[in-house]
Amino acid sequence: MIKPDATSKGYTGAILDQMIKAGFTVKAMKWTKLTTEQAGLFYDIHRERPFFGELVEFMSSGPIVAAILEKDNAVEDFRKLIGATNPAQAEEGTIRKNFAASIGENAVHGSDSNENAVIEGDFFFSKLERF
Ligand code: ATP
Ligand code: MG
């Protein structure tokens, strides 16, 4: 997912370009905006964390791009491509180093396991929206 900070700053195209150049294939994609309730469901695992309210407010504050991306070893390679959660700790050349402002507003989301990638893909896309 490309998060609201990055879409509002006009980074969508540059981020997608970096993902595609890194070898990811787009299987599904949409431009949409989450309600606070939808953002809360998407990040349900963080519901008890102190930053949950801030996270849900931020994630529903503007449009996002949701996508299903395909590649061998996709979860691990995508997390390497996006870099550390806190952009101050992200490696040079990573998407968060290039485009993120802070730990809260960190430009992109990546699934953390194959299992969650399936759940998150199903959250955004029907079978008719995947090619
Ligand atoms: P994401 O799930 O968005 O890809 P991540 O897996 O790198 O990020 P998580 O630990 O899953 O990190 O946290 C989810 C999101 O919650 C982070 O991307 C960030 O936007 C927000 N977040 C995490 N820790 C903090 C914090 N200490 N303060 C504010 N926001 C935070
Ligand atoms: Mg995460």
Side-chain angles (χ1 to χ4, degrees), residues 12 20 25 52 93 97 120 126:
T12 302
I20 290 163
T25 305
F52 181 75
K97 186 70 177 187
E120 293 173 358
S126 76

Side-chain angles (χ1 to χ4, degrees), residues 8-90:
S8 72
K9 289 173 185 163
Y11 295 154
T12 302
I15 290 173
L16 290 174
D17 191 51
Q18 195 172 341
M19 291 174 183
I20 290 163
K21 284 190 173 129
F24 291 86
T25 305
V26 176
K27 306 301 290 180
M29 184 173 289
K30 71 173 62 162
W31 174 265
T32 186
K33 187 168 183 279
L34 297 171
T35 63
T36 51
E37 195 191 1
Q38 288 168 330
L41 287 172
F42 187 85
Y43 278 116
D44 200 49
I45 47 162
H46 296 310
R47 200 165 284 276
E48 303 309 321
R49 308 277 285 277
F51 57 81
F52 181 75
E54 191 187 319
L55 176 61
V56 163
E57 278 307 309
F58 165 61
M59 287 303 299
S60 57
S61 67
I64 57 112
V65 175
I68 299 176
L69 303 176
E70 186 175 79
K71 186 182 180 299
D72 287 344
N73 201 37
V75 167
E76 195 186 333
D77 286 0
F78 191 75
R79 295 197 66 94
K80 233 177 262 166
L81 177 70
I82 68 178
T85 308
N86 185 346
Q89 281 147 24

